[in-house]
């Protein structure tokens, strides 16, 4: 049986447990509704949190609107905003252990995995602090009549919505860039994983962020829908499923609100015929079902040369079959539970679909028999998969991988691209230039050769139905800026750099 060594009442501040952060203050929710937060490792609720109603959402948006229209934040120099981001990063860095523990408690991420990825949030704040202090928010260009000044204005009030799976790292992309740009922000935290965003609010408060610049409420899909429909919100930055992304895009289209969408994936790892087996497996395995496959960039389709199919399927299945499934609080656990009962049912449904459509299970294939509590599924590998099967087409978001055989590189590329998604991908080869040439043929936002990397200064995002826009790098900052051109006659004073 899994232990549950997280005590919200002693580990979390009372404000984080029961209030929202609006206009620089911890406020009592107007709504009287609350929801239980369920620990995936036990299947039991461990705390209840307040759920915002439309009045709470309105208050948060009003505060962000005021701070944008009349406050100092959008008018401050990039360097000054960078100071605040730096202070937030320090405050966040002092809470790393707590943030890892929250991640494991709320959604069952193995604690070593949480420990590894939580620091990326502070790194993201540091990266955007550095960029904000050097970025050309204003630039002069000569024109026939004199000069045009291109002013990169913050886009305005932004709504940031991220899914339950990796709240902190995903929010940190959005929040760091939005704040660096001079936007004000309303974060809608999901009820399944409410605490990270509220701890981030604590950090912002500690850093002295002006009131209204950052506001945090916890709300469900109804609260989220109310937020994105508000005309006072100028931009929505959303990460989540493709289905919800389409709903949000339609709402934003009504008033042409700006929107960035980071959506689902069905990414392919192409193992080229010259790839050495063991180094390939060592580099690939961690990214095929990270956090039980509940990560958008998981490499869930492995494309292998038909001549090496048997060798690869056997070796990969042995490794996956040997992964330790269990208590996410145990540092030696490799595969923890799925995040919710809904996730469990969804993943079991896909395993059934794979079986029914004729794919062959080489390891796993059902609920973990060793765990009668919690939402545990065996890591599952399907071989003899074809591109038409449901398990090869839809995002499962669980520890389920499909292996598909190909005859030549052209077919491998065609299979990799035979999907509605286009988020990530990998190529494994002993010839890096060949890997690069193959990567360029894959219609996805990110491809890595012989491994998988994501860096703060590099854009991340999707082609096709994996999204619109990019986060990370200068591209992620531009997503929160509007270019304004101001034409001036000749002999005007020199461009002002704050
Ligand atoms: P989801 O789309 O169901 O929900 C995401 C968030 O949107 C939640 O906070 C939810 O409360 C909110 N929401 C739901 N309906 C809404 C509406 N109509 N208006 C406004 N907000 C609404 O996704 P999920 O199940 O929480 O997360 C899993 C999905 O997220 C997967 O598809 C995964 O691929 C995707 N994801 C993408 C990335 C990426 O960077 N591309 C990263 C992580 C997860």
């Amino acid at each position: 049986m899994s232990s549950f060594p997280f005590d919200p009442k002693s580990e979390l501040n009372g404000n984080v447990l029961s209030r929202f952060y609006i206009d620089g203050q911890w406020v009592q929710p107007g709504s009287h509704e609350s929801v239980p937060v369920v620990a995936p490792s036990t299947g039991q609720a461990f705390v209840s949190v307040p759920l915002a109603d439309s009045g709470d959402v309105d208050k948060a948006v009003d505060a962000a609107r005021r701070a944008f229209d009349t406050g100092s934040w959008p008018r401050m120099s990039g360097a000054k905003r960078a100071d605040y981001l730096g202070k937030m990063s320090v405050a966040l860095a002092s809470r790393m252990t707590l943030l890892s523990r929250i991640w494991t408690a709320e959604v069952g991420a193995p604690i070593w995995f949480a420990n590894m990825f939580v620091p990326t949030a502070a790194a993201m704040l540091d990266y955007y602090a550095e960029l904000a202090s050097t970025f050309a928010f204003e630039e002069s260009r000569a024109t026939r009549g004199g000069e045009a000044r291109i002013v990169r204005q913050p886009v305005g009030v932004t709504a940031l919505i991220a899914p339950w799976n990796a709240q902190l790292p995903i929010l940190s992309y959005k929040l760091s860039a939005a704040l660096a740009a001079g936007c004000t922000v309303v974060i809608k935290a999901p009820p399944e994983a409410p605490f990270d965003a509220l701890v981030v609010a604590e950090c912002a408060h500690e850093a002295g962020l002006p009131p209204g610049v950052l506001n945090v409420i916890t709300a469900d899909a109804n609260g989220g829908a109310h937020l994105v429909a508000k005309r006072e919100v100028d931009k929505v930055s959303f990460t989540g499923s493709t289905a919800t992304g389409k709903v949000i895009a339609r709402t934003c289209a009504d008033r042409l609100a700006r929107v960035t969408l980071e959506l689902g994936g069905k990414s392919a790892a192409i193992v080229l015929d010259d790839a050495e087996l063991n180094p390939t497996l060592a580099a690939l395995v961690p990214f095929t079902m990270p956090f039980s496959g509940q990560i958008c960039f998981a490499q869930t389709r492995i494309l292998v040369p038909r001549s090496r199919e048997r060798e690869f399927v056997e070796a990969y299945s042995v490794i996956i079959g040997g992964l330790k499934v269990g208590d996410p609080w145990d540092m030696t656990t490799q595969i923890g539970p799925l995040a919710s009962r809904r996730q469990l049912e969804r993943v079991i449904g896909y395993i059934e679909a794979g079986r029914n459509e004729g794919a062959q299970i080489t390891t796993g294939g059902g609920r973990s028999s060793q765990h009668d509590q919690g939402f545990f599924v065996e890591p599952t590998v399907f071989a003899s998969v074809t591109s038409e099967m449901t398990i090869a087409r839809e995002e499962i978001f669980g520890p389920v991988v499909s292996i598909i055989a190909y005859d030549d590189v052209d077919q491998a590329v065609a299979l990799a691209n035979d999907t509605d998604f286009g988020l990530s991908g990998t190529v494994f080869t002993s010839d890096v230039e060949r890997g690069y040439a193959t990567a360029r043929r894959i219609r996805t936002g990110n491809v890595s050769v012989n491994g998988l990397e994501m860096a703060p200064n590099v854009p991340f995002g999707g082609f096709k139905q994996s999204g619109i826009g990019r986060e990370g790098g200068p591209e992620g900052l531009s997503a929160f800026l509007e270019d304004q051109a101001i034409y001036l006659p000749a002999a005007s004073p020199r461009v002002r750099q704050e």
Side-chain angles (χ1 to χ4, degrees):
M1 189 181 137
S2 291
S3 59
F4 190 71
F6 184 80
D7 176 15
K9 291 210 167 65
S10 67
E11 298 191 45
L12 296 170
N13 185 309
N15 289 328
V16 168
L17 267 178
S18 62
R19 293 181 178 224
F20 299 146
Y21 187 71
I22 297 177
D23 213 7
Q25 295 182 1
W26 292 98
V27 302
Q28 202 70 48
S31 141
H32 297 294
E33 201 179 339
S34 63
V35 278
V37 185
V38 174
S41 53
T42 63
Q44 306 296 317
F46 65 96
V47 71
S48 282
V49 294
L51 203 58
D53 63 15
S54 53
D56 294 310
V57 174
D58 293 348
K59 274 185 211 144
V61 173
D62 288 348
R65 188 77 257 168
R66 263 194 316 278
F68 189 81
D69 291 341
T70 60
S72 58
W73 190 254
R75 290 153 198 94
M76 207 177 263
S77 69
K80 193 141 185 237
R81 286 197 293 267
D83 284 347
Y84 285 99
L85 292 186
K87 286 182 190 146
M88 278 179 74
S89 165
V90 170
L92 204 67
S94 71
R95 291 166 170 82
M96 289 294 154
T97 304
L98 173 65
L99 287 159
S100 292
R101 290 176 61 74
I102 288 174
W103 200 353
T104 300
E106 288 174 338
V107 291
I111 189 75
W112 61 266
F113 179 88
N115 287 341
M116 197 156 83
F117 286 100
V118 157
T120 60
M124 196 54 87
L125 280 164
D126 291 339
Y127 168 72
Y128 276 108
E130 172 70 28
L131 189 62
S133 58
T134 53
F135 189 77
F137 285 99
E138 200 172 326
E139 176 196 326
S140 170
R141 292 185 199 162
T143 63
R144 233 174 349 174
E147 175 199 11
R149 295 200 193 148
I150 318 301
V151 186
R152 271 119 205 173
Q153 299 271 14
V155 71
V157 173
T158 60
L160 310 186
I161 302 179
W164 45 261
N165 66 332
Q167 262 289 294
L168 183 70
I170 295 173
L171 268 184
S172 70
Y173 263 84
K174 300 178 187 303
L175 180 66
S176 310
L179 293 180
C183 293
T184 61
V185 164
V186 176
I187 296 175
K188 183 208 86 65
E192 301 89 341
F195 296 128
D196 305 69
L198 290 157
V199 172
V200 168
E202 252 186 358
C203 297
H205 197 79
E206 210 167 289
L209 224 67
V213 172
L214 170 68
N215 307 275
V216 180
I217 48 164
T218 304
D220 60 11
N222 292 332
H226 183 71
L227 173 63
V228 301
K230 285 192 70 75
R231 56 178 283 281
E232 295 84 357
V233 171
D234 300 297
K235 158 134 194 164
V236 178
S237 179
F238 170 79
T239 298
S241 63
T242 296
T244 305
K246 288 178 185 176
V247 172
I248 288 176
R250 278 194 282 270
T251 305
C252 289
D254 257 1
R255 62 183 195 288
L256 292 182
R258 277 52 180 151
V259 63
T260 295
L261 302 172
E262 295 284 353
L263 309 175
K266 192 75 195 175
S267 302
I270 301 182
V271 180
L272 292 179
D273 53 4
D274 62 357
E276 277 185 59
L277 184 66
N278 289 331
T280 296
L281 287 168
L284 172 60
V285 166
F287 298 106
T288 55
M289 39 182 84
F291 178 20
S292 301
Q294 299 170 117
I295 291 287
C296 56
F297 56 75
Q299 308 293 298
T300 53
R301 294 182 297 148
I302 305 181
L303 312 183
V304 295
R306 201 173 301 283
S307 58
R308 298 184 59 191
E309 182 182 7
R310 204 162 145 190
E311 169 198 25
F312 189 91
V313 168
E314 276 177 17
Y316 179 71
S317 304
V318 167
I319 295 175
I320 296 299
L323 293 178
K324 183 177 170 192
V325 180
D327 186 350
W329 296 98
D330 178 343
M331 282 293 279
T332 63
T333 290
Q334 288 162 302
I335 299 277
L338 290 169
S340 63
R341 184 166 302 283
R342 184 174 65 122
Q343 274 290 101
L344 176 72
E345 285 162 8
R346 172 191 164 98
V347 172
I348 294 292
Y350 276 112
I351 292 174
E352 281 313 303
R355 219 182 238 123
N356 295 340
E357 290 176 24
Q360 188 203 339
I361 292 178
T362 61
T363 186
R367 277 193 82 157
S368 169
S369 54
Q370 291 157 24
H371 302 90
D372 48 2
Q373 290 187 313
F375 310 130
F376 292 88
V377 169
E378 294 170 320
T380 299
V381 178
F382 279 104
S384 307
V385 177
T386 63
S387 204
E388 299 73 39
M389 291 180 184
T390 308
I391 52 169
R393 303 213 72 77
E394 296 185 14
E395 184 185 49
I396 298 174
F397 227 50
V400 181
V401 163
S402 296
I403 302 181
I404 305 174
Y406 68 82
D407 293 313
D408 57 30
V409 177
D410 287 346
Q411 194 193 8
V413 170
L415 285 166
N417 289 334
D418 182 18
T419 168
D420 291 335
F421 297 105
L423 191 61
S424 171
T426 46
V427 181
F428 293 87
T429 173
S430 52
D431 176 349
V432 171
E433 282 308 315
R434 189 176 173 220
Y436 175 69
T438 309
R440 288 194 59 151
R441 299 174 66 192
I442 303 176
R443 302 284 299 158
T444 70
N446 287 68
V447 191
S448 300
V449 175
N450 291 344
L452 193 149
E453 194 184 349
M454 283 176 69
N457 60 340
V458 175
F460 179 79
F463 282 22
K464 302 193 266 183
Q465 295 195 30
S466 287
I468 297 177
R470 292 293 179 270
E471 295 184 328
E475 294 81 1
L477 182 66
S478 297
F480 289 98
L481 295 169
E482 293 271 22
D483 292 336
Q484 181 186 37
I486 302 178
Y487 287 84
L488 298 173
S492 56
R494 283 175 59 79
V495 63
R496 183 170 57 89
Q497 279 288 0
E498 282 172 295

